[in-house]
Amino acid sequence: MAITIQYERPVSYAAQWARRLSLFSCALFVVVVAAHRFGPLTTPHFLVLGAFACGVAGLAVLMAAVGLARLWHVGARGGKASLIALLFALLPLGVAAAAVYSYIYKPALYDVTTDTSAPPPWIVEPVAEKSWPARAQTVTPQDRQLQLDAYPALSGRRYDGALDRVYQGVRKVSDAYGIRIVAEDGLDNILTDLEDLAVEPAKAGQGVEALGEVPIPEARPLETPLMPHLGSAGDVLVQGEWRSLVFGLRFDVVIRLREEAETTLVDMRAASRTGAHDLGIGADLVEGYLKALDAELLGIAGD
C-alpha cells in the first residue's frame, strides 16, 4: 500500500503582521501629512504623529526581516508579505531619513537672511509655536556667523531698475511662489512723482501755441494712512507667510527694497515658526525666491 507524503510549508506570522503594520503606518503618515497641509492639525501634533507612524514602519521592517529569514531557513510562507511591507514602509521611513540627514548636516538655524549685519525688520512680529519644540526667542550673532559659514552664497540682489519696477516684480513672484502678503511698509516711496510731468512755462510756447497755465497733477492720497517706517528712510518692506508645498511647514518672510545710486537692492529674510532647526528649508526658500526674481527681472539685473 503506497503512502502519500504531503509537505506543508510553515507560515510566517511575522511577515503577515509586518504587512499589516506597514499598511497602517503608510496610511497614517499620508493622513497626518494631509491634515497638516490642508486641515487643522498643528505642527507639534504633526511631528508627534509623524514620528509615531515612522516608528510603526520601523517595527514593520524588523518583522519583515524575520519573515524573510524564516523563508530562507525553513521555506516559510510570507515572502510576498515581507516585500509588500518593505515597500509600504519606504514612504514614512524615507521621509524620516531625509529629515534626520538634514537635522544632522544642516546648521541649527530657524532664521536666515541675505543681510546678516542688518537683517530686514519685521513689520508684524512673527508668532512662533510656544509649546514644543522649544527654541530661543532671539537670534544671536553666533547664529548669524553660523549662517555665513553654512551658506556663504546667500546674498541679496541689486537691480538697475527703478524701485517701483522691482516692487512689481517682487509682488508678482510672491504670488507665483505662494507667499501670502500680510503687511507692507514704505509704499509712499514708490509713488510716482507726477510733478515731473508738469510743463515748464519756458517750453510751453516752443513749437505749439501756449495753452496758458497747466495745472500740476498731484499724487492720489493713499486710502489708508501709512505707518511710521520701520527700516531706514526710503526702504520698502513686504512681509508674507509661506507654507512648504508638501508638508505645509509655516515660514514668515520679509523682503526689503532699498534704492541706492539709481539701483534697487533687494534683501530677504525667512524664519520658521516651529523649533530651532528649519532643516535648511529657509535657505532653500530664500535662494529659490531670489532666483525666480532674477528670472522675472531679467534684463535689468546688475552684477
Side-chain angles (χ1 to χ4, degrees):
M1 181 177 180
I3 300 177
T4 303
I5 301 176
Q6 183 178 1
Y7 293 96
E8 293 186 3
R9 293 176 58 187
V11 177
S12 174
Y13 294 103
Q16 303 297 328
W17 275 104
R19 180 176 59 184
R20 297 188 185 101
L21 290 177
S22 66
L23 289 172
F24 171 75
S25 65
C26 185
L28 175 62
F29 187 79
V30 171
V31 170
V32 167
V33 171
H36 181 258
R37 181 64 180 86
F38 304 104
L41 189 65
T42 63
T43 301
H45 292 91
F46 162 72
L47 296 176
V48 172
L49 292 176
F52 175 74
C54 293
V56 175
L59 179 60
V61 168
L62 293 178
M63 300 185 73
V66 174
L68 292 175
R70 291 273 294 166
L71 173 65
W72 177 262
H73 290 293
V74 299
R77 297 178 183 272
K80 293 182 179 180
S82 297
L83 292 178
I84 293 175
L86 294 176
L87 180 63
F88 279 97
L90 185 62
L91 175 61
L93 291 182
V95 173
V100 171
Y101 177 86
S102 298
Y103 188 86
I104 295 175
Y105 292 101
K106 296 293 180 68
L109 300 171
Y110 68 88
D111 188 316
V112 295
T113 178
T114 58
D115 188 351
T116 55
S117 59
W122 301 107
I123 303 175
V124 180
E125 193 66 24
V127 179
E129 295 283 352
K130 298 181 180 180
S131 55
W132 178 87
R135 74 180 186 196
Q137 297 299 320
T138 58
V139 181
T140 64
Q142 291 75 16
D143 294 330
R144 296 305 185 196
Q145 184 60 45
L146 182 61
Q147 178 197 321
L148 286 175
D149 297 337
Y151 309 114
L154 196 66
S155 60
R157 299 290 198 272
R158 187 180 297 276
Y159 302 98
D160 290 332
L163 190 63
D164 58 343
R165 171 70 178 90
V166 178
Y167 170 78
Q168 293 175 3
V170 165
R171 288 301 304 261
K172 184 175 180 180
V173 174
S174 297
D175 294 338
Y177 218 77
I179 298 177
R180 184 174 64 89
I181 304 301
V182 297
E184 294 180 313
D185 182 73
L187 295 184
D188 52 338
N189 294 317
I190 62 175
L191 292 177
T192 305
D193 188 4
L194 297 179
E195 293 183 358
D196 295 338
L197 300 178
V199 180
E200 298 181 7
K203 298 180 180 179
Q206 297 180 2
V208 294
E209 182 180 356
L211 299 178
E213 296 184 359
V214 178
I216 299 177
E218 297 181 355
R220 180 181 179 181
L222 296 178
E223 296 181 358
T224 57
L226 292 172
M227 297 174 60
H229 294 314
L230 299 176
S232 301
D235 288 355
V236 176
L237 299 176
V238 180
Q239 183 170 334
E241 298 176 353
W242 178 81
R243 301 189 69 179
S244 60
L245 180 61
V246 178
F247 299 104
L249 300 175
R250 297 178 182 272
F251 280 76
D252 291 286
V253 177
V254 61
I255 305 165
R256 180 179 63 196
L257 290 75
R258 176 176 294 173
E259 198 167 27
E260 293 182 350
E262 299 182 354
T263 63
T264 301
L265 179 64
V266 178
D267 282 298
M268 189 172 179
R269 180 180 181 183
S272 171
R273 288 191 179 182
T274 305
H277 203 309
D278 65 0
L279 306 180
I281 300 176
D284 293 338
L285 165 62
V286 173
E287 184 177 2
Y289 179 91
L290 292 177
K291 286 183 178 179
L293 185 61
D294 290 341
E296 174 64 26
L297 300 177
L298 185 64
I300 68 171
D303 297 333

